[in-house]
Amino acid sequence: MLWRRCAVAAAVMIGLTACQDDLPGHRPVTPIEAASAMPAYWKTAPTSDDQRLELLRRLRAIDPCALIPRTDLAKIGTLLEVDNDGPNKCEATFDSTESGKGTSVSWAIGVAPTGYGWGQSQREEVDGITVGVLRDLDNGPQVEGQLDRSCLATAAFANTTTLPVHVRTPLGTEPCPAAQSALARAMGGLAAEPAQGTSPDTPRTALHGKDPCEVAAALDTAVTVLDLRIWSCQFTFRGAAIDVDYGYEARGYADSGKPLFTVNGHTGYGPSDDTSEYASYTAIVGPSLPGPGSDLMGPAVPTIRVFGTDRAALESVLRSTTELFPAT
């Protein structure tokens, strides 16, 4: 059929949107149809550590905001802002920024090496790709004081990639059709693997092109590949479990600890509370990102955050990681 041939081509080249526009009167492509049109790479499970590491490299190189271009977002409502709120995340706001009045669509690229937790989601599967939908009402009835409706539509691929799309709409509306449509478009975008910086809403930061496990190699410590995520690395250093995360945080949150050192112009911060069992250490490694930021905590900044229980090991890992980032 014509729609299917067009969907296959669009999934590879430009992402499932042209067919919907070029064939007026035809229904939109569904997530399960988008799944069927995905290239073989997304339908094939990795069988070695090298293949898993290559998957993480490819996913880090993808621009999340480019998965659903602004031209497609504009069809949802009056587009007010698009926020690249993480190296693998994007969120669009429509119609109103007032709580309960507007619509928001957020999506993220992730991995689930040991399987995605579906909960009560209604699911379909084709070619090793599962798509599921979970309405807020599936977890119980609406409650007094609830401000909006929500729906989570997710694709989990055989190669362990996950693509959740979360939609919030005002009360009295049904968010799941928008969530399913956005997921199908995002899947088509994912098939094209747009490079970081493709979207005008994705600023280039110090994190792009970086591997969060680079510090493990610098410290000559091994990692368990199955435990790794796209923008985080887990390993043992000096007998202590360490988790290194790269992300974007509000400046007021990232620099809320006590200053410890400055490397290449980047300041590292330790926790001001010395009594808790778990601690996190942070370094800001680049200038503020454009975007709305937080009214209370300030603009977002690219950060390294190191978690664990051994404070001396955490500070050492944070310093070694910060040294990998040149001055900006």
Side-chain angles (χ1 to χ4, degrees):
M1 295 175 65
L2 178 59
W3 70 263
R4 181 171 176 82
R5 292 198 303 271
C6 188
V8 172
V12 176
M13 294 183 291
I14 58 175
L16 286 174
T17 57
C19 293
Q20 298 172 23
D21 295 338
D22 293 345
L23 298 177
H26 285 242
R27 58 177 176 77
V29 173
T30 66
I32 198 66
E33 290 165 351
S36 181
M38 293 294 290
Y41 179 73
W42 306 93
K43 302 174 181 179
T44 306
T47 58
S48 68
D49 282 354
D50 285 345
Q51 289 181 359
R52 294 184 183 95
L53 290 171
E54 175 62 18
L55 171 67
L56 296 176
R57 284 191 289 268
R58 288 177 68 160
L59 295 181
R60 279 195 296 271
I62 294 174
D63 185 334
C65 292
L67 299 189
I68 308 179
R70 273 181 171 258
T71 52
D72 294 331
L73 292 173
K75 299 170 186 176
I76 296 174
T78 301
L79 181 61
L80 301 181
E81 60 187 29
V82 179
D83 184 17
N84 177 215
D85 54 349
N88 63 323
K89 304 175 184 177
C90 202
E91 181 172 12
T93 303
F94 305 85
D95 303 329
S96 174
T97 57
E98 186 177 348
S99 182
K101 297 290 182 67
T103 293
S104 68
V105 180
S106 59
W107 60 97
I109 304 169
V111 291
T114 58
Y116 183 81
W118 289 102
Q120 299 299 312
S121 300
Q122 300 178 10
R123 303 187 293 279
E124 296 180 88
E125 188 271 337
V126 62
D127 298 336
I129 301 174
T130 303
V131 294
V133 176
L134 180 64
R135 302 183 307 157
D136 53 351
L137 300 184
D138 294 333
N139 292 321
Q142 290 182 218
V143 297
E144 184 177 354
Q146 183 173 334
L147 296 177
D148 53 25
R149 293 286 314 281
S150 66
C151 184
L152 177 65
T154 305
F157 301 87
N159 70 356
T160 73
T161 302
T162 60
L163 182 61
V165 175
H166 190 241
V167 171
R168 289 190 175 276
T169 59
L171 292 180
T173 63
E174 176 52 60
C176 284
Q180 290 177 295
S181 177
L183 175 60
R185 291 177 182 271
M187 292 169 71
L190 186 66
E193 299 186 49
Q196 287 279 4
T198 298
S199 168
D201 298 303
T202 303
R204 186 74 180 179
T205 78
L207 301 184
H208 292 142
K210 302 293 286 185
D211 181 346
C213 283
E214 186 180 357
V215 68
L219 296 171
D220 195 27
T221 185
V223 300
T224 302
V225 175
L226 196 62
D227 293 339
L228 303 182
R229 299 301 183 265
I230 303 175
W231 289 101
S232 68
C233 188
Q234 298 75 37
F235 53 88
T236 300
F237 178 67
R238 296 177 183 169
I242 302 290
D243 189 327
V244 177
D245 288 4
Y246 288 178
Y248 304 151
E249 300 179 8
R251 180 177 291 276
Y253 177 59
D255 66 4
S256 61
K258 56 185 179 184
L260 299 174
F261 58 79
T262 299
V263 174
N264 295 333
H266 310 308
T267 301
Y269 299 89
S272 53
D273 175 14
D274 293 330
T275 61
S276 59
E277 179 183 2
Y278 287 92
S280 67
Y281 286 63
T282 311
I284 299 173
V285 292
S288 300
L289 279 66
S294 166
D295 292 338
L296 295 177
M297 304 299 284
V301 290
T303 60
I304 305 162
R305 187 168 286 275
V306 183
F307 299 89
T309 58
D310 187 318
R311 293 169 185 259
L314 291 172
E315 181 173 346
S316 181
V317 170
L318 180 67
R319 180 183 291 272
S320 296
T321 309
T322 307
E323 290 172 348
L324 298 173
F325 288 81
T328 54

